[in-house]
Amino acid sequence: MTTTQTNPKVQQWTNLAQQLRVDSIRSTTAAGSGHPTSSMSAADLMAVLLTSYLHYDFDNPKNPNNDHLIFSKGHASPLLYSLYKAAGAISDEELMTLRKFGSRLEGHPTPALPWVDVATGSLGQGLPIGVGVALAGKYLDKLPYHIWVLLGDSEMAEGSQWEAFDHASFYKLDNLIGILDVNRLGQRGETMHGWHTEVYEARAKAFGWNAIVIDGHNYDEINRAFAQAAQPNGLPTLIVAKTIKGKGVSFLENKNGWHGKALNKEQEQQALQELKHVRSQTYPVQKPENLQPAPEPAKKALELPKYDGKEEVATRKAYGDALLALGAANPDVVGLDGEVSNSTFAEEFAKAYPDRYFEQFIAEQQLVSAAVGMSVRHKIPFASTFAAFFTRAFDFIRMAAISRANIRLCGSHAGVSIGEDGPSQMALEDLAMMRAVFGSTVLYPCDANQTAQLVAQMADHDGIVYMRTTREKTPVIYGPDETFKVGGSKVVRQSDKDQVTVVAAGITLHEALKAYDQLKSQRIAIRVIDTYSVKPIDADTLYAAAQQAGNKIVVVEDHWPEGGLGEAVLEAFTQRDGPLPQVVKLAVSSMPGSGTPAELMEEAGISAHHIVGAVQALVRGR
Amino acid sequence: MTTTQTNPKVQQWTNLAQQLRVDSIRSTTAAGSGHPTSSMSAADLMAVLLTSYLHYDFDNPKNPNNDHLIFSKGHASPLLYSLYKAAGAISDEELMTLRKFGSRLEGHPTPALPWVDVATGSLGQGLPIGVGVALAGKYLDKLPYHIWVLLGDSEMAEGSQWEAFDHASFYKLDNLIGILDVNRLGQRGETMHGWHTEVYEARAKAFGWNAIVIDGHNYDEINRAFAQAAQPNGLPTLIVAKTIKGKGVSFLENKNGWHGKALNKEQEQQALQELKHVRSQTYPVQKPENLQPAPEPAKKALELPKYDGKEEVATRKAYGDALLALGAANPDVVGLDGEVSNSTFAEEFAKAYPDRYFEQFIAEQQLVSAAVGMSVRHKIPFASTFAAFFTRAFDFIRMAAISRANIRLCGSHAGVSIGEDGPSQMALEDLAMMRAVFGSTVLYPCDANQTAQLVAQMADHDGIVYMRTTREKTPVIYGPDETFKVGGSKVVRQSDKDQVTVVAAGITLHEALKAYDQLKSQRIAIRVIDTYSVKPIDADTLYAAAQQAGNKIVVVEDHWPEGGLGEAVLEAFTQRDGPLPQVVKLAVSSMPGSGTPAELMEEAGISAHHIVGAVQALVRGR
């Protein structure tokens, strides 16, 4: 192979790469922290990409034809911001605000910048999200944009990468290109595979990708690799680039101990001398063709399923029915599921709209990432699996919130009430997890009509929206025309003699209603509140109930005692003046095994029987 | 290749395999649910393993020489329990209690049974945990036991599998054997790769494993594969077995729609006829050699580091110092870290005790799994990474609790107080996550001496024990001889004129102390409580403070408002009679960016300034 650098653009690439290195150093030294050496290794790769392969309208980041450039190695943000400067998108002055309070240039990229699709910085997330964007590009938008993902070698240890590799080839995503910056050194020493680029090559190929091994500082090789990767050929491509961390500065090159460390002023001067301090120059970036996304069918009026109450219906079934209805009404709705669509009932959507359904198999990190990628392309993704298995993707949900993504998640099979399958399949921590996500919405319906209405609202709601559904069939207690809203609740039973308020949601609401009947026969009146919106919770209705019903509350939930409905109710009361009411929490406080739903709810202490006992004790003055 | 089945054991294997199929059907039909067909595909593999390769003393499951058999495809539990019956470990009568309330034979295996090492049922966990057991076997116990992991093909989509593959070859774990049951069918249809066994073979080889492709119903091939795999040759082995789901019964074989479904009585009769209903027979299982684990150095008295308070010390540094001290005292202590040991300070242990330190690179699922595997072998694992990145492993932590594992996790870089790196690196949900783990302990020290003492207690504490540490250096406020205990707290400031109680932990405790000084100059007395034990929390001290200081409490935490310290304090008050105090919660309620720790804490509303304001408002009657 000849590697003579005869391309006339070599001088431009060289100049730009040196400028990117200079700016990565200058900005991090000004900040006093950051990752200059991780930026320098990839500077040549990015110089060629920006000026010769990326199609991006920096004046219009919302142009649907723009390529997507995702820095999965988010700690190389100085390089990304230096690229933005080189493209003329930000000034040198702004570049120098890196990592300062109030700057858009955060330590790791976030969509505070309009050219950043998603927040990165938790490693191993850029590629799975890129898969989601690429699915949208190839199968929904049907536009020729490329998704370029800059990957670090350390992050190849994350299993989520291989979920992405698996799905990208399965779905033939030839619009997806991974650029692997093999600079050999991680945070505290050598990576597992050092400069053994053949390891990455073999793995990518075994996962059904093209793989091209290059010297990441040889412009001719870089150029040819990008040219080859950009040609659609039915497979995604991984460019495995052997690079040198700290490339371009003698005392930084391939040295351990320089990860995440800024140069001091003196070191900076020395480095800039070596780099032949180039002037701040702006480089033209090719704009994309002006194409239109694939036309969508017109939106239609939403016709939600209605349940007449003659039969019991599981809320998971109502979720499936409602998602099907949403699919008919809104062509932007996309379905995703983790190989359990016959349990979550996402299969109804999958069968009706196979072009908008993407099976994610048993890979929950990829499942959530695909939803985030769809959100980048302004789709309305609904992703479902067993609620317990969303714990697999917590880091991705956490990061999705930082990405300001709009995704809808539905977790089925919540709580001990699933019965015989046992604790591995029971979500008993999902409410805690999903409440502790910035700006999240957490819904937990108890009947089919309520579920359908809330699913419809999820489609229109921004941020991370989570719905918890129940495996078992439950009575339909609301009419099909009753309305429900995010942040609302329903007072299901009340009188002016109420002595205690029972707060419940989902499966336990039905236990509360049984308790109501039993207590009524004992001449004890309780108020029953259905807090189907766990976050935000309807604080006003809870306040009123406390005031009107003896300032005594029982909260009952099919969840561990921590972080769920009980704590959401307590939290609500901290938002008003004065002491809190007396609150008794009933929750799952021992490890369940297998059994019938009724046996397990009784054992867990959350059945009607236990609610009756708790109310009686409160009435007696405990 | 000749596949003539001339081995004299073939008849025994055949009989046993049919018995396993029969029992898998009988037990699930009796239960009315379960996974017979997923059991039947692997029956031949397990019949050969049990009678010819497994070394296990069923009378003494604690024998340190026993092999480990992990059913990663936990839904094949009927097969596992049928094996236990065939080995004489359980009776047919007990087998028929499958999935019934109170039975040890749960829907998915748990250590309620003494022969089960870890709970499975969340897919993709058995192999990474097997890596942990194999690390212990090869490098610590130095015993020749094997770890056999039965894998499903659906679960190969989980990224965690590839973390395990990567680590197993990196650490040359030739005592680890994966048995991949490629029955082609997942829960709702075909897997990604169907019967393309060459895909799994290529991937395993690319990840540095031996791979042997066989017909999983051909005893000769099975036998030779096990024989080859059991010979140590420096590499782990994957046996890729092409199998038929429902094998042995005509109307079940290779049929979709039979996942997770029991046969009815009529179908059962038909199936048993086809299987030539064999009698319940017991088969001898080879016992392991009677070897002793590698001798350990004697335990020594623990000499914890002491801090004189002249300099500020980060609690993460104190964690590293204390772990180092623990390592000197107790040879069972094992260190694990996710490639950030120079940030978590696990590097001190890693450098001093390289034989007991296992780098897990940037693979947090593997990190926690390795700790669980070490717990199986009765080591005392301490696993550390950034607290934010433990969210990557939430499903593994959740399952570790079901496994009754004893693991210690330390998450550094908690909260906005990390400063410039930005939100991707800030743990703001870890307390919510770790509180919502069954039986967990959650510690959050504020100074170096306290950290050291609590690290020592972690070593002796069962269950899932989590410590949250702080990036920034903080003042040392306790003397080296002060004592702290799990479930305790410290009243750091108090008088008989206290008007409000401020509850804090970790970094915010120092803000509370600053607030105390400022309020004192305004003649407002506050009580300051350091709730370093977030779970269990010291309810008694909180009650007493509320009673003695105006029934008004301010809780301040570097965490989202949901599920953290504030809700832990509220939860504590629900455990006593009567109305709760007035509680004001200060927590991070907007998305942080980059900035100095002080800027970010001020913006988040958790600085001394905000505490002062909250106390003033409460004193004024808000």
Side-chain angles (χ1 to χ4, degrees):
Chain A
M1 189 168 81
T2 60
T3 56
T4 49
Q5 300 182 355
T6 52
N7 191 308
K9 295 197 88 170
V10 165
Q11 193 55 51
Q12 187 191 45
W13 294 332
T14 307
N15 289 348
L16 173 55
Q18 292 300 80
Q19 175 176 314
L20 295 173
R21 291 188 171 99
V22 165
D23 283 346
S24 295
I25 289 172
R26 289 174 59 235
S27 58
T28 48
T29 295
S33 66
H35 299 78
T37 58
S38 304
S39 297
M40 294 162 79
S41 57
D44 295 313
L45 292 160
M46 291 300 106
V48 177
L49 182 67
L50 184 77
T51 53
S52 302
Y53 290 94
L54 190 74
H55 291 77
Y56 200 97
D57 182 354
F58 276 93
D59 296 329
N60 181 14
K62 293 188 174 167
N63 184 333
N65 292 289
N66 282 340
D67 279 357
H68 292 265
L69 173 59
I70 300 174
F71 264 44
S72 184
K73 51 175 292 188
H75 54 286
S77 61
L79 175 61
L80 182 65
Y81 305 150
S82 298
L83 281 170
Y84 292 159
K85 181 189 132 180
I90 65 169
S91 66
D92 189 70
E93 191 180 4
E94 182 167 12
L95 182 66
M96 291 301 128
T97 68
L98 173 69
R99 290 175 161 255
K100 299 221 167 68
F101 185 71
S103 171
R104 302 187 293 179
L105 309 190
E106 300 182 20
H108 295 75
T110 78
L113 288 163
W115 316 284
V116 174
D117 290 322
V118 288
T120 51
S122 179
L123 291 169
Q125 302 209 7
L127 196 65
I129 292 170
V131 166
V133 180
L135 284 171
K138 189 174 177 89
Y139 296 105
L140 301 173
D141 295 333
K142 296 178 182 167
L143 288 174
Y145 55 78
H146 285 95
I147 299 92
W148 308 89
V149 182
L150 180 65
L151 299 158
D153 49 350
S154 276
E155 65 174 326
M156 296 301 278
E158 290 284 13
S160 55
Q161 304 279 26
W162 302 102
E163 296 183 17
F165 271 87
D166 210 3
H167 284 69
S169 59
F170 183 83
Y171 282 110
K172 306 185 195 317
L173 299 178
D174 53 8
N175 50 352
L176 178 66
I177 299 141
I179 306 161
L180 179 56
D181 176 18
V182 186
N183 67 22
R184 191 185 72 83
L185 290 169
Q187 170 170 331
R188 45 86 268 157
E190 191 167 43
T191 63
M192 289 177 99
H193 306 294
W195 269 328
H196 288 280
T197 49
E198 74 281 5
V199 169
Y200 301 111
E201 180 189 22
R203 293 179 183 186
K205 286 182 173 171
F207 274 76
W209 285 46
N210 298 314
I212 308 170
V213 178
I214 62 169
D215 173 350
H217 305 303
N218 178 315
Y219 292 117
D220 193 40
E221 291 186 35
I222 297 170
N223 185 40
R224 277 191 282 132
F226 281 141
Q228 192 179 327
Q231 289 303 319
N233 71 353
L235 297 179
T237 298
L238 182 71
I239 298 171
V240 183
K242 183 179 172 183
T243 63
I244 294 168
K245 197 161 177 170
K247 171 74 179 177
V249 173
S250 57
F251 60 94
L252 300 176
E253 282 193 359
N254 195 26
K255 292 278 193 306
N256 206 4
W258 270 105
H259 183 93
K261 199 185 262 186
L263 283 66
N264 64 29
K265 271 286 166 196
E266 194 179 333
Q267 292 162 335
E268 180 193 38
Q269 281 315 309
Q270 195 181 335
L272 298 193
Q273 272 185 351
E274 285 195 34
L275 288 166
K276 302 192 190 69
H277 189 41
V278 282
R279 290 194 46 216
S280 289
Q281 196 181 322
T282 304
Y283 292 80
V285 178
Q286 298 169 83
K287 293 197 176 176
E289 284 185 274
N290 187 17
L291 303 172
Q292 290 303 312
E296 285 181 345
K299 291 189 186 181
K300 293 182 201 161
L302 176 62
E303 289 192 34
L304 285 176
K306 297 182 179 208
Y307 305 91
D308 61 12
K310 289 178 187 159
E311 289 180 355
E312 297 198 340
V313 181
T315 55
R316 61 180 170 132
K317 176 68 168 65
Y319 169 80
D321 297 346
L323 186 61
L324 177 69
L326 265 183
N330 191 336
D332 288 332
V333 171
V334 173
L336 302 155
D337 191 273
E339 223 272 307
V340 289
S341 57
N342 52 344
S343 291
T344 61
F345 284 97
E347 69 176 4
E348 297 184 35
F349 182 96
K351 286 174 183 165
Y353 305 104
D355 296 346
R356 285 188 271 146
Y357 175 79
F358 299 95
E359 178 58 63
Q360 298 301 297
F361 299 93
I362 304 187
E364 294 80 9
Q365 299 179 115
Q366 180 58 62
L367 173 67
V368 171
S369 298
V372 173
M374 289 289 166
S375 167
V376 167
R377 294 299 308 183
H378 307 294
K379 311 301 173 196
I380 303 176
F382 279 77
S384 47
T385 184
F386 282 28
F389 303 144
F390 274 120
T391 56
R392 198 70 158 248
F394 190 17
D395 196 20
F396 294 76
I397 299 168
R398 174 183 84 86
M399 290 295 295
I402 304 176
S403 292
R404 285 71 163 167
N406 299 316
I407 61 175
R408 292 95 190 149
L409 307 177
C410 176
S412 68
H413 292 68
V416 301
S417 66
I418 69 163
E420 289 78 2
D421 270 341
S424 64
Q425 318 294 301
M426 297 170 179
L428 290 164
E429 56 291 292
D430 58 317
L431 296 177
M433 174 175 78
M434 294 307 307
R435 285 182 66 233
V437 171
F438 179 72
S440 65
T441 300
V442 180
L443 305 171
Y444 184 18
C446 71
D447 99 334
N449 284 314
Q450 188 182 55
T451 304
Q453 293 244 358
L454 292 173
V455 169
Q457 295 201 24
M458 288 172 83
D460 300 325
H461 207 80
D462 279 351
I464 317 294
V465 187
Y466 174 67
M467 174 175 280
R468 178 188 226 216
T469 63
T470 300
R471 178 180 187 274
E472 295 299 294
K473 291 179 182 176
T474 46
V476 177
I477 64 166
Y478 296 112
D481 299 321
E482 192 121 17
T483 57
F484 306 93
K485 65 176 201 291
V486 170
S489 68
K490 285 283 172 187
V491 181
V492 186
R493 296 284 185 278
Q494 68 176 326
S495 74
D496 52 13
K497 291 174 191 155
D498 293 340
Q499 294 170 273
V500 174
T501 299
V502 174
V503 178
I507 190 92
T508 58
L509 195 273
H510 302 284
E511 297 300 309
L513 293 178
K514 288 181 216 164
Y516 172 89
D517 291 339
Q518 293 173 30
L519 289 162
K520 194 176 178 188
S521 69
Q522 299 169 28
R523 296 175 186 276
I524 298 175
I526 59 171
R527 183 162 303 189
V528 178
I529 300 180
D530 172 11
T531 46
Y532 59 83
S533 179
V534 176
K535 179 185 175 189
I537 199 158
D538 183 359
D540 289 343
T541 299
L542 293 171
Y543 299 167
Q547 286 182 331
Q548 293 160 19
N551 218 29
K552 290 175 177 174
I553 292 180
V554 174
V555 190
V556 54
E557 60 186 318
D558 194 357
H559 189 277
W560 297 130
E562 297 87 6
L565 180 61
E567 293 191 359
V569 168
L570 288 165
E571 160 78 7
F573 281 100
T574 65
Q575 293 161 23
R576 67 162 189 182
D577 289 352
L580 280 66
Q582 184 167 0
V583 176
V584 172
K585 281 177 54 178
L586 302 180
V588 180
S589 51
S590 61
M591 179 60 76
S594 291
T596 65
E599 286 167 341
L600 294 176
M601 292 183 72
E602 178 63 21
E603 184 192 43
I606 59 172
S607 65
H609 164 240
H610 290 279
I611 299 170
V612 167
V615 170
Q616 288 170 333
L618 277 178
V619 169
R620 271 189 239 116
R622 182 154 126 176
Chain B
M1 190 169 84
T2 59
T3 56
T4 49
Q5 298 181 356
T6 52
N7 191 308
K9 296 196 88 172
V10 165
Q11 192 56 52
Q12 187 190 46
W13 293 331
T14 307
N15 289 347
L16 173 55
Q18 293 300 79
Q19 175 176 317
L20 296 173
R21 291 189 171 100
V22 164
D23 283 346
S24 295
I25 289 172
R26 288 175 60 234
S27 59
T28 48
T29 294
S33 66
H35 299 78
T37 58
S38 305
S39 297
M40 294 161 80
S41 58
D44 294 313
L45 292 160
M46 291 301 105
V48 177
L49 182 67
L50 184 77
T51 54
S52 301
Y53 291 94
L54 189 74
H55 291 77
Y56 199 96
D57 182 354
F58 276 93
D59 296 328
N60 181 14
K62 294 190 174 166
N63 184 333
N65 292 288
N66 283 339
D67 280 356
H68 293 265
L69 172 58
I70 299 174
F71 264 44
S72 184
K73 51 176 290 187
H75 54 286
S77 60
L79 176 60
L80 183 65
Y81 305 150
S82 299
L83 281 169
Y84 292 160
K85 181 189 130 180
I90 65 169
S91 66
D92 189 69
E93 191 181 3
E94 182 167 13
L95 182 65
M96 291 302 127
T97 67
L98 173 68
R99 290 174 161 254
K100 298 221 166 69
F101 185 70
S103 171
R104 302 186 294 178
L105 309 190
E106 299 183 20
H108 294 77
T110 77
L113 288 164
W115 316 284
V116 174
D117 290 322
V118 288
T120 50
S122 179
L123 292 170
Q125 302 209 6
L127 196 66
I129 293 169
V131 166
V133 179
L135 283 169
K138 189 173 176 90
Y139 295 106
L140 301 172
D141 294 333
K142 297 179 182 167
L143 287 174
Y145 56 78
H146 285 94
I147 299 92
W148 309 88
V149 182
L150 179 65
L151 299 158
D153 48 351
S154 276
E155 66 174 325
M156 297 301 277
E158 290 283 15
S160 54
Q161 304 277 28
W162 302 103
E163 295 182 17
F165 271 85
D166 210 5
H167 284 69
S169 59
F170 183 84
Y171 282 110
K172 306 187 196 318
L173 299 178
D174 52 10
N175 49 353
L176 178 66
I177 298 141
I179 306 162
L180 178 56
D181 176 18
V182 185
N183 66 22
R184 192 184 73 82
L185 290 169
Q187 170 170 332
R188 46 85 269 159
E190 191 166 44
T191 64
M192 290 177 99
H193 306 296
W195 269 330
H196 287 280
T197 49
E198 74 280 6
V199 170
Y200 301 111
E201 180 189 21
R203 292 179 185 187
K205 285 182 175 170
F207 274 76
W209 284 47
N210 298 315
I212 308 171
V213 177
I214 62 169
D215 173 350
H217 305 303
N218 179 315
Y219 292 117
D220 193 39
E221 290 186 35
I222 297 170
N223 185 41
R224 277 190 283 132
F226 281 142
Q228 192 179 328
Q231 289 302 319
N233 72 351
L235 298 179
T237 297
L238 182 71
I239 297 171
V240 182
K242 182 179 172 185
T243 63
I244 294 168
K245 196 160 175 171
K247 171 74 178 178
V249 173
S250 57
F251 61 94
L252 299 177
E253 282 193 357
N254 196 28
K255 292 277 193 309
N256 205 5
W258 270 104
H259 183 93
K261 199 185 264 187
L263 282 67
N264 64 30
K265 269 287 165 192
E266 195 180 335
Q267 292 162 335
E268 182 192 37
Q269 280 316 308
Q270 194 181 336
L272 298 194
Q273 272 186 349
E274 285 195 32
L275 289 165
K276 303 192 190 69
H277 189 45
V278 282
R279 290 193 47 213
S280 290
Q281 197 181 321
T282 303
Y283 292 79
V285 177
Q286 297 170 84
K287 293 196 176 176
E289 284 185 273
N290 187 17
L291 303 172
Q292 291 302 314
E296 287 182 345
K299 292 190 185 181
K300 292 183 201 161
L302 175 62
E303 290 194 31
L304 284 176
K306 297 181 180 212
Y307 305 91
D308 62 12
K310 288 178 187 157
E311 289 180 355
E312 296 198 340
V313 181
T315 54
R316 61 179 171 132
K317 177 69 167 65
Y319 169 80
D321 296 347
L323 187 61
L324 178 69
L326 265 184
N330 190 337
D332 288 332
V333 171
V334 173
L336 301 155
D337 191 272
E339 223 271 308
V340 290
S341 58
N342 52 344
S343 291
T344 61
F345 285 98
E347 69 176 6
E348 296 184 37
F349 182 96
K351 285 175 183 164
Y353 305 103
D355 296 345
R356 285 188 271 146
Y357 175 80
F358 299 95
E359 178 59 63
Q360 297 300 298
F361 300 93
I362 304 188
E364 294 80 9
Q365 299 180 114
Q366 180 58 63
L367 173 68
V368 171
S369 298
V372 173
M374 290 289 167
S375 166
V376 167
R377 295 298 309 183
H378 307 294
K379 311 302 174 196
I380 303 176
F382 279 77
S384 47
T385 184
F386 282 27
F389 303 143
F390 274 120
T391 56
R392 199 69 157 249
F394 190 17
D395 195 21
F396 294 76
I397 298 168
R398 175 183 83 87
M399 289 295 296
I402 304 176
S403 292
R404 285 71 164 167
N406 299 315
I407 60 175
R408 294 93 189 148
L409 307 177
C410 177
S412 69
H413 292 68
V416 302
S417 66
I418 69 163
E420 290 78 1
D421 270 340
S424 64
Q425 318 294 302
M426 297 170 178
L428 290 164
E429 57 290 292
D430 58 317
L431 296 178
M433 174 175 78
M434 294 306 308
R435 285 182 66 234
V437 170
F438 180 71
S440 66
T441 300
V442 179
L443 306 170
Y444 184 17
C446 71
D447 99 333
N449 285 315
Q450 189 181 54
T451 303
Q453 293 244 358
L454 292 174
V455 169
Q457 295 202 23
M458 288 172 83
D460 300 325
H461 207 81
D462 279 350
I464 316 295
V465 188
Y466 175 66
M467 174 176 279
R468 179 187 225 216
T469 64
T470 299
R471 178 181 188 273
E472 296 298 296
K473 291 180 182 175
T474 47
V476 177
I477 64 166
Y478 297 112
D481 300 319
E482 191 120 17
T483 57
F484 306 92
K485 66 175 199 292
V486 170
S489 69
K490 284 284 172 188
V491 180
V492 186
R493 296 286 185 274
Q494 68 177 324
S495 75
D496 52 14
K497 291 175 192 154
D498 294 339
Q499 296 170 271
V500 173
T501 299
V502 174
V503 178
I507 190 92
T508 57
L509 196 272
H510 301 283
E511 297 300 311
L513 293 177
K514 288 181 216 163
Y516 172 90
D517 291 339
Q518 293 173 32
L519 288 161
K520 193 176 179 187
S521 69
Q522 300 169 28
R523 297 176 186 276
I524 299 175
I526 60 171
R527 182 162 303 188
V528 178
I529 300 182
D530 172 10
T531 45
Y532 59 84
S533 179
V534 176
K535 179 184 174 187
I537 199 157
D538 183 358
D540 289 343
T541 299
L542 293 171
Y543 299 168
Q547 286 181 331
Q548 293 160 19
N551 218 29
K552 291 175 177 175
I553 292 180
V554 174
V555 190
V556 53
E557 60 187 316
D558 196 356
H559 188 277
W560 299 130
E562 297 87 5
L565 180 61
E567 294 192 358
V569 169
L570 288 166
E571 161 77 8
F573 280 101
T574 65
Q575 293 161 22
R576 67 162 188 182
D577 290 350
L580 279 67
Q582 183 168 0
V583 176
V584 172
K585 282 178 55 182
L586 303 179
V588 180
S589 52
S590 61
M591 180 59 75
S594 291
T596 65
E599 286 166 340
L600 294 176
M601 291 181 73
E602 178 62 22
E603 185 194 42
I606 59 171
S607 65
H609 163 240
H610 290 280
I611 299 170
V612 167
V615 169
Q616 288 171 331
L618 276 178
V619 168
R620 271 190 238 115
R622 181 155 130 176

